[in-house]
Amino acid sequence: MMYPKPTKATKDPAYLAEVRKLPCIICQLWGLRQLSATTAHHVCHDRFSGRKTDDRMAIPLCDGHHQGLRDRSKLAIHLEKARWRAAYGPDHGFSARIQSIIKGDVTR
């Protein structure tokens, strides 16, 4: 059986720039103080390949919730993926909200 070749993720630098302007979605929803700059996180939970997801699926995370390089006071998804999911849910669950905020359909 032949399977279709996976498509490349759609790049959208302008969308990523808008994501980076938003506050960290985890700090915002859990009432935490954001201590580092916002980065654009390409969602990784439930992904079945090593490829990045589309830029329009990206969510805003502070360094503490994303890489944990500068801010080690929080749970970083790239350091503890399973624990992060247990605490906050799957990262892709925030994508639709972020898309709506950027489109202006929902307030922050």
Side-chain angles (χ1 to χ4, degrees):
M1 174 181 254
M2 296 289 291
Y3 292 99
K5 186 177 179 181
T7 59
K8 280 188 172 181
T10 303
K11 295 189 179 289
D12 189 341
Y15 186 84
L16 293 179
E18 291 300 313
V19 169
R20 290 184 194 102
K21 292 178 185 176
L22 298 172
C24 172
I25 190 67
I26 301 302
C27 287
Q28 184 181 36
L29 293 177
W30 272 260
L32 303 171
R33 186 166 169 238
Q34 184 169 341
L35 302 174
S36 54
T38 298
T39 59
H41 165 67
H42 287 83
V43 297
C44 59
H45 287 136
D46 303 321
R47 196 172 56 188
F48 297 106
S49 74
R51 293 177 186 238
K52 275 188 178 178
T53 54
D54 288 351
D55 286 353
R56 288 186 173 258
M57 292 289 295
I59 63 172
L61 294 179
C62 64
D63 175 70
H65 284 117
H66 190 206
Q67 300 282 353
L69 300 174
R70 292 177 185 83
D71 177 4
R72 296 189 185 264
S73 69
K74 299 189 173 77
L75 183 59
I77 193 168
H78 287 294
L79 297 179
E80 299 188 70
K81 191 172 165 182
R83 259 186 80 210
W84 197 98
R85 182 185 186 125
Y88 308 117
D91 57 354
H92 55 76
F94 300 101
S95 293
R97 179 185 181 100
I98 299 308
Q99 291 166 0
S100 293
I101 290 169
I102 289 174
K103 285 193 309 190
D105 296 340
V106 173
T107 59
R108 295 179 200 186

